[in-house]
Amino acid sequence: MRIFTSCKEISAYLESQTALGLSTGFVPTMGALHNGHLALIKQAKQEVDLVICSIFVNPLQFNRKEDLDNYPNRLVQDREMLELEECDVLFTPTKEELYPEEPEMKFAFGSIGMGMEAEHRPNHFEGVAAVINRFFEVLNPTKAYFGEKDYQQLAIIRWLVEEKNFNTLVVGCKTVRYESGLAMSSRNYRLSQNDLETAADIYSLLNYCKENYPSIGPKELSEHCFKELQSKFEPEYFIIADESNLSPIESWSEAKSPRAFVAAYLSGVRLIDNLSLKH
Ligand code: AMP
């Protein structure tokens, strides 16, 4: 695996490879890798010639300093995991390297950038869009892989690619879960064994929505799940929204593709998840 820290060097290397006719697939991560990340790498390995993974904890997307400071760092293990997956290129720039100038932080996302994560993490998606914008400028990948685990983020990236006319094809990948149903997340590294078991309740509640769709109304369902969470978690939101615009729905007739979204703290660790109610 080739490892780059310089934008100029990785850019020149990738240009030389695409000039040879090779396609490239980019998997951006913040490290502390798990099987969810590796599923994106595996899918990219099947679809393109050269897979690039970045590990960069983007300070611009954290609205709480404490969250940024506590973000797990496991670079040695991460490198080993990437080697095992035969990832071709690892990019680990410093923030000074990636942002030589103040990046643009104003984007007109519309409804997809309003509720849920956008509401509870002010400026989070501006930071996400800024970093992906910069990565795409430097790497100009043929394809880029993102998890449905961060469903609103995936919508933001699709919007960004259209807005900026990037040639990159965005590929959304299914959420990888433990047997308990808990979505894999770097933040799980901060949970105790007990908490990991409790955290699986999030998936049970998402499934409860799926099982009761469409016999119980969306508002009733989401309110019920929010209340259920309150016994063990500090929930921020439990919302049923339409996949197309991510606006909360009041009745099933409003939504072609309803999806339940949740964010909740457990022992100070912020967990998010979502599930399509239809398939
Ligand atoms: P992160 O390192 O949390 O920024 O995640 C990097 C990429 O991995 C994002 O596109 C995430 O949506 C994706 N990802 C994180 N967890 C999972 C998971 N459990 N299943 C699938 N993709 C995931």
Side-chain angles (χ1 to χ4, degrees):
M1 183 167 68
R2 286 174 191 261
I3 301 176
F4 291 91
T5 54
S6 146
C7 292
K8 222 171 144 186
E9 284 171 22
I10 193 168
S11 200
Y13 173 70
L14 293 176
E15 266 175 35
S16 73
Q17 298 303 293
T18 44
L20 295 173
L22 299 189
S23 59
T24 58
F26 175 43
V27 181
T29 81
M30 297 203 296
L33 300 183
H34 49 70
N35 284 341
H37 297 116
L38 299 186
L40 307 192
I41 303 273
K42 284 190 173 95
Q43 185 162 343
K45 283 294 285 180
Q46 285 182 357
E47 296 183 359
V48 298
D49 300 314
L50 207 71
V51 177
I52 309 140
C53 177
S54 65
I55 295 181
F56 177 66
V57 181
N58 175 31
L60 298 182
Q61 72 189 66
F62 286 82
N63 56 311
R64 292 169 64 232
K65 189 176 175 303
E66 186 193 333
D67 197 17
L68 174 62
D69 292 344
N70 287 330
Y71 204 84
N73 177 333
R74 295 165 45 101
L75 192 56
V76 176
Q77 293 97 321
D78 289 348
R79 268 173 65 167
E80 278 171 18
M81 288 165 90
L82 290 172
E83 296 270 11
L84 281 174
E85 292 304 327
E86 299 182 351
C87 177
D88 302 291
V89 176
L90 171 60
F91 185 34
T92 56
T94 60
K95 63 177 192 294
E96 292 76 17
E97 175 66 23
L98 199 64
Y99 302 124
E101 290 157 29
E102 286 276 303
E104 177 192 350
M105 285 284 279
K106 278 218 162 89
F107 301 92
F109 298 132
S111 68
I112 57 162
M114 276 173 174
M116 303 194 286
E117 293 303 283
E119 187 183 332
H120 290 274
R121 302 184 71 188
N123 288 323
H124 170 64
F125 287 128
E126 283 75 5
V128 168
V131 76
I132 297 300
N133 191 31
R134 183 76 187 117
F135 273 133
F136 281 13
E137 277 171 9
V138 174
L139 307 172
N140 189 22
T142 318
K143 292 188 175 189
Y145 297 80
F146 295 87
E148 285 188 350
K149 156 90 171 22
D150 301 280
Y151 199 88
Q152 197 174 7
Q153 167 173 284
L154 179 57
I156 292 283
I157 305 296
R158 290 193 194 284
W159 176 90
L160 180 75
V161 165
E162 224 169 78
E163 175 76 8
K164 300 273 175 182
N165 277 318
F166 284 116
N167 292 319
T168 304
L169 182 78
V170 174
V171 183
C173 305
K174 292 261 165 288
T175 301
V176 178
R177 301 178 180 282
Y178 294 104
E179 231 169 88
S180 68
L182 173 65
M184 295 197 180
S185 164
S186 306
R187 290 167 192 265
N188 295 347
Y189 285 117
R190 292 175 51 212
L191 293 176
S192 67
Q193 197 51 43
N194 248 344
D195 282 342
L196 285 171
E197 281 164 32
T198 305
D201 288 2
I202 290 178
Y203 183 66
S204 308
L205 288 168
L206 289 170
N207 248 320
Y208 175 81
C209 294
K210 190 171 181 149
E211 283 158 12
N212 288 287
Y213 164 80
S215 54
I216 305 181
K219 260 197 114 183
E220 226 178 314
L221 263 184
S222 46
E223 278 170 16
H224 167 81
C225 292
F226 188 88
K227 278 199 195 116
E228 283 291 308
L229 279 173
Q230 278 177 318
S231 62
K232 296 179 194 161
F233 299 78
E234 284 175 57
E236 278 191 339
Y237 60 81
F238 196 109
I239 284 172
I240 297 175
D242 190 57
E243 288 178 5
S244 64
N245 55 15
L246 303 188
S247 301
I249 54 173
E250 305 260 318
S251 81
W252 296 124
S253 59
E254 283 172 47
K256 270 202 198 123
S257 313
R259 187 174 275 264
F261 295 86
V262 53
Y265 280 92
L266 177 61
S267 302
V269 178
R270 190 171 185 279
L271 303 171
I272 62 168
D273 201 352
N274 64 82
L275 191 69
S276 163
L277 303 190
K278 269 200 168 165
H279 39 79

